[in-house]
Amino acid sequence: MTDGYTGADLFTDALESYGVDYLFGNPGTTELPIVDAVGRSDLEYVLGLHEDIAVGMASGYAQTRRYHSHHDESINPVGVANLHVAPGLAHGLGNLYAAKITGAPVVVTAGNHSTDFRHEEPILSGGLVEMAEQFCKWSDEVLDVEALPTMLRRAFRVAMTPPTGPVFLGLPLDVMLAETDAEPERLGAIPNAGSGDPAQLEHAADLLVDADNPVMVVGDHVARSGADAVAAAVELAEATGARVHGEILSSEVDFPTDHDQWVSYIPPNEDLASMLMDTDTVAFIGCSTNTTLTRHEEALVDSETTCIHISDDDWQVGKNQPADAAVIGDPGLILQGLIERVQGRLSEETVEERLENVAAIKEMVEAKMAGMGEGDAEDDPRASKAELVDAMERVAGDAAIVDEGVTSKYAMLTRWNLAPEQYISNKGGGLGYGLPASVGAAIAEGQRDDPRDVIGFIGDGSYLYYPHSIYSAARHDVDLTVVISDNRNYRILKDNTLKLMGGEEADYEFTAMDFDPAVDLVKNAESHGARAEQVETPDGIEGALEEALANEGPDVLDVLVHD
């Protein structure tokens, strides 16, 4: 044991100086110096029983804390996770991928073997930097304690600089044990992405003015830019009379869903998606996942359609469709620039004609989507997904939602008038993000003076990936309610089987897609420290949810639903 000031001490001091309150992790031997230093610091170590849970918690925390930072510049939204060598980092890659797709500003670290010992290939060895880099904005390893302050500062800055996303740093055991007189470096100001090329802004404004029926497809980079950006999207839509949709696989609220010009989220269905984007001019604003899950037979956007692309991520501009106008910068600032350039250029008659077209299409789309989540099991005593969502909205319409309901997702998106900063979801598609992310989100919400209720809306298949996330919520007394939409099967795989291969359900055995025998999710949740209850019929949902929300700590409601 050393009495000197070590790399591990410097690491924890740097986190504290950057406003970090929590370190999410699962410790191993190579992380012991850091764990010891955390115990002597003001940081709280949030234990996850699996590395992917730790990354998921850090990411859900960061996504939620980012919203808070839009209203309080003193808040650093970065979530920090500490994992264990190569197998631990490998365990965390699923949710590191999810953090990348959802743009969560996280700094993921992992201990590593001492630099002078690796030639013996000790157990747990592996190429950490190479393993993480495909999912990170920057991936590196600190090989000298004197480089630690600069590399930590850089890691935080890269994670927070738009487009936000995860960063990885390897922290070798000998570097963490090395004594140093270095100090944390000041973080400095984080820049926005800028207000866009004036010439491209002018061109984009001209295209919107000259359009017959413009459509705005808003993506999650709008919400990540802040509430002001969402408000600017509304103002631009109103100024141009544009029809508004959310991109495929939206995971945040980028436009108020109760606005007259809001029509729908675009579903990942080729025919519906291409129909909704069938117009003369489309503005893709902050989009990053606007395509189908599997190969589509025809183009989603006609080759003759005029396309405007706006993003703080240059990779997304002109990626899947040509960009007739391309504006790179902060979506909120760009939208403000467009508003200034289109105001007064459109007659009231022109805007009114466009709005009449919006209303007609909205009526048609609402008729098509009205039955989403209702199912056709008339004699089934279980709730439909639509009944579950409706009951949740009646009881907790203002709650913060973390969603990984999968096939229940579109019932929620089409039925619940979600407000900006109310909803985050698993954008990456891999299961196992939503439950730990809901724990992290609830920790973040608990830091506010007036915290909202937090509900994790999780499919049973998703819940079963990391049910031991509940242990972390119970251990740290996190106030969280989890609602499981439990249909006891991988419904998404059955749906996709029919889409890919055709036929009727009766034609398939659906190998490995049903949970038979069913897992007792109530006992499982109770074993991890939560209160839990199974809700078997629709009329039991509201009372059970009201009681769960009134309780402190974690509650799990296993709500049986039919498809």
Side-chain angles (χ1 to χ4, degrees), residues 387-439:
E387 287 175 313
L388 171 56
V389 167
D390 289 349
M392 290 173 63
E393 184 178 18
R394 286 193 295 270
V395 172
D398 295 328
I401 306 296
V402 182
D403 168 40
E404 193 173 291
V406 192
T407 53
S408 298
K409 175 187 178 85
Y410 279 92
M412 175 167 280
L413 292 182
T414 56
R415 304 180 76 87
W416 194 320
N417 281 327
L418 296 161
E421 302 188 353
Q422 184 181 4
Y423 173 89
I424 59 175
S425 182
N426 178 2
K427 195 174 182 69
L431 299 189
Y433 180 75
L435 186 58
S438 68
V439 178

Side-chain angles (χ1 to χ4, degrees), residues 134-212:
Q134 63 183 313
F135 304 128
C136 292
K137 292 181 69 179
W138 178 49
S139 180
D140 211 332
E141 185 173 24
V142 183
L143 299 177
D144 188 306
V145 71
E146 300 305 312
L148 182 60
T150 298
M151 294 182 76
L152 277 175
R153 174 179 57 80
R154 185 185 302 163
F156 275 79
R157 291 187 60 82
V158 171
M160 286 195 289
T161 300
T164 57
V167 167
F168 173 77
L169 280 183
L171 303 175
L173 182 59
D174 56 338
V175 174
M176 291 296 97
L177 288 171
E179 294 189 12
T180 181
D181 56 5
E183 298 179 351
E185 295 181 356
R186 65 184 182 278
L187 188 58
I190 305 298
N192 61 43
S195 55
D197 179 346
Q200 290 297 314
L201 276 167
E202 292 287 353
H203 186 38
D206 290 343
L207 295 176
L208 287 171
V209 169
D210 294 339
D212 292 328

Side-chain angles (χ1 to χ4, degrees), residues 2-25:
T2 178
D3 294 326
Y5 185 78
T6 67
D9 296 316
L10 177 56
F11 175 76
T12 56
D13 283 352
L15 297 191
E16 288 190 68
S17 73
Y18 296 156
V20 174
D21 298 307
Y22 299 96
L23 179 62
F24 300 89

Side-chain angles (χ1 to χ4, degrees), residues 323-402:
D324 297 291
V327 196
I328 298 171
D330 180 274
L333 296 178
I334 292 171
L335 288 167
Q336 287 289 352
L338 285 174
I339 292 163
E340 294 168 6
R341 287 166 170 81
V342 301
Q343 279 180 336
R345 295 179 60 186
L346 288 162
S347 68
E348 289 184 15
E349 282 185 346
T350 298
V351 173
E352 189 58 37
E353 286 176 7
R354 292 178 177 182
L355 291 177
E356 288 174 4
N357 181 266
V358 171
I361 293 177
K362 182 169 184 171
E363 184 178 357
M364 179 268 292
V365 171
E366 286 180 345
K368 277 184 171 290
M369 295 187 174
M372 276 196 172
E374 292 183 351
D376 55 6
E378 294 182 5
D379 298 325
D380 197 313
R382 297 173 296 178
S384 69
K385 295 166 187 176
E387 287 175 313
L388 171 56
V389 167
D390 289 349
M392 290 173 63
E393 184 178 18
R394 286 193 295 270
V395 172
D398 295 328
I401 306 296
V402 182

